[in-house]
Amino acid sequence: MAYNIEFQISGLIVVLILLIVFFAKERFHSLQNSIYRVLLIITVIELLLDIASVITITNREMYPRLNKILSKGYLIAMLSYIGCIALYTLSNTLYPSIPKWRLKLKQIQAGVIILGYIACCIIVFATELLYGGDGKFIYSYGPASDTVYMYSTISVVYVIAVLLINIKNIPPMKQLSIYSFCIMEGIVAIVQMFNKELLIIGFGTAAAMMIMYFTLENPDMKMIKALNNANQKNRELLLNILPESVADRLKDSESTFTEKFQDVTIMFLDLVNFSKLSNEIGAQKIVFLLNKFFSQIDDLLSFFKVEKIKTMGDCYMAAAGIPDYYDDNQEEMVKFAFAVLKLLDGFNKRNGTNIQVRIGLNTGPVVAGIIGKKKFIYDLWGEAVNLASRMESYGVPDRINVSPYLAKKLESTHTLEKQPVVDIKGFGDMETYLICK
């Protein structure tokens, strides 16, 4: 009685469908999915070799060498499939916080699985194929196939042991796919023990692969990409409103907050005669120029450790030393202020305008953070902020006016031009200083 190949063919069809479906779209990047990709390819090769070897075994006298190649290839494919299943089981016991010693132990186990696979492959290659009786009736390869059965049995025992030891860490759905492999191996062994002509290994393998497919992490990658893109756009929008460290803190704490800084440098910049300019050239054009100029200041920020706080009409506010404090933030802010004046000079030449600005700087303690529930911004509060604003108001066009507190910190590194004592609103009589280039 000749062997059947109907089960192998049906199994091959199932696996080919799985292969097409799995590779038809992008899959979630995980170790399990990577192993499954390899398993699919190995299973297709295994079933093709199985079918071909069954066909040629009944004509072994005509194609002895071909049958030998196909048969040994089939046994190697079976070993590869079983080894990958063992590695797949082991991969499901890995988790992000796994202790180093356990990870090392699992690496050793993976090494043993691979070394066992290599040893069995050598045995299959080295031993002659033996056939019991007439090849048309007895489908047996002797020691070569016994080696595969031995590796399969040891692997099943290992897989069950891994499942039992890690039963709490492996999701039930993942356990189902692994149990299906064990059950398939057991049923196939029993059935073929009593029905040697009924070859169902291929079909059992295909059934195990199908069950495994439905237990894999297979989310819609297009949807994940769309969500990632949306999250990225939301983050970019948030970073246009808040400093990065503040955005991260707000995301983690999910609440507003404030904190105190002892030594922050604040800058206020304001256009001179903004109302007059609006009347002369029109509100729409002045707003266009204002946006263009402020946008170029925004671009300039990327070259300095200075944080934009906000704009208020024709006023631009920035600070150095927040939200991440660093020493010498006063010098950084002065460099930035001079860069803004240089930018303005080029801006006027390119646009044929004669815009002038006043810049005021101060340093001191501030409270910084986010308050309220809606349309929040990262803002600063304190007398140091108010005085910086006054330095701008009482300043000189196209010059940098600084408070006596900041002047004291800069006197050793910059030439300062003392201004007449002036009554600063809210602060009384005060000497201010202009920074010389």
Side-chain angles (χ1 to χ4, degrees), residues 323-372:
D324 303 308
Y325 179 80
Y326 62 93
D327 293 329
D328 207 25
N329 58 75
Q330 297 84 10
E331 286 289 343
E332 187 75 0
M333 181 57 85
V334 170
K335 291 177 184 177
F336 176 69
F338 275 117
V340 171
L341 290 176
K342 184 177 180 181
L343 174 69
L344 176 62
D345 183 57
F347 182 87
N348 283 328
K349 290 177 182 178
R350 288 190 300 272
N351 293 279
T353 54
N354 189 31
I355 295 174
Q356 290 183 300
V357 298
R358 289 188 300 268
I359 296 177
L361 305 182
N362 181 41
T363 188
V366 301
V367 173
I370 297 172
I371 59 175

Side-chain angles (χ1 to χ4, degrees), residues 76 78 120-121 156 187 199 277 367 406:
I76 295 298
M78 277 295 298
C120 290
C121 287
V156 168
I187 291 175
L199 306 178
L277 280 172
V367 173
L406 180 55

Side-chain angles (χ1 to χ4, degrees), residues 345-401:
D345 183 57
F347 182 87
N348 283 328
K349 290 177 182 178
R350 288 190 300 272
N351 293 279
T353 54
N354 189 31
I355 295 174
Q356 290 183 300
V357 298
R358 289 188 300 268
I359 296 177
L361 305 182
N362 181 41
T363 188
V366 301
V367 173
I370 297 172
I371 59 175
K373 292 183 177 181
K374 296 182 179 179
K375 297 183 179 179
F376 49 76
I377 62 169
Y378 185 71
D379 210 347
L380 309 181
W381 301 271
E383 286 193 0
V385 179
N386 297 333
L387 185 54
S389 178
R390 298 288 185 267
M391 290 301 99
E392 177 274 313
S393 300
Y394 290 88
V396 177
D398 295 341
R399 298 292 299 274
I400 302 170
N401 192 37

Side-chain angles (χ1 to χ4, degrees), residues 1 68 77 121 125 142 167 186 202 228 254 350 358 377 406:
M1 181 170 57
K68 180 179 179 180
C121 287
F125 275 119
I167 195 164
N228 287 339
E254 297 183 356
R350 288 190 300 272
R358 289 188 300 268
I377 62 169
L406 180 55

Side-chain angles (χ1 to χ4, degrees), residues 63-116:
Y63 311 106
R65 182 172 295 180
L66 178 60
N67 177 252
K68 180 179 179 180
I69 293 172
L70 293 173
S71 298
K72 286 198 172 185
Y74 165 68
L75 294 175
I76 295 298
M78 277 295 298
L79 287 171
S80 303
Y81 174 82
I82 296 164
C84 282
I85 289 290
L87 291 174
Y88 174 82
T89 305
L90 186 62
S91 71
N92 280 288
T93 66
L94 302 175
Y95 48 92
S97 59
I98 185 172
K100 287 186 177 180
W101 69 270
R102 284 192 176 182
L103 180 60
K104 187 69 176 177
L105 182 62
K106 293 182 188 300
Q107 290 173 342
I108 293 172
Q109 291 178 48
V112 172
I113 292 169
I114 294 170
L115 287 174

Side-chain angles (χ1 to χ4, degrees), residues 411-431:
E411 60 185 1
S412 62
T413 54
H414 294 272
T415 302
L416 302 173
E417 181 182 330
K418 184 186 289 187
Q419 296 295 95
V421 175
V422 61
D423 182 14
I424 304 292
K425 183 180 178 181
F427 293 90
D429 293 343
M430 185 176 289
E431 288 180 345

Side-chain angles (χ1 to χ4, degrees), residues 1-4 57-58 134-139 194-198:
M1 181 170 57
Y3 297 111
N4 69 285
I57 199 172
T58 57
D134 192 334
K136 294 181 181 181
F137 299 98
I138 305 299
Y139 187 62
F194 298 101
N195 300 277
K196 295 186 180 299
E197 76 285 352
L198 188 63

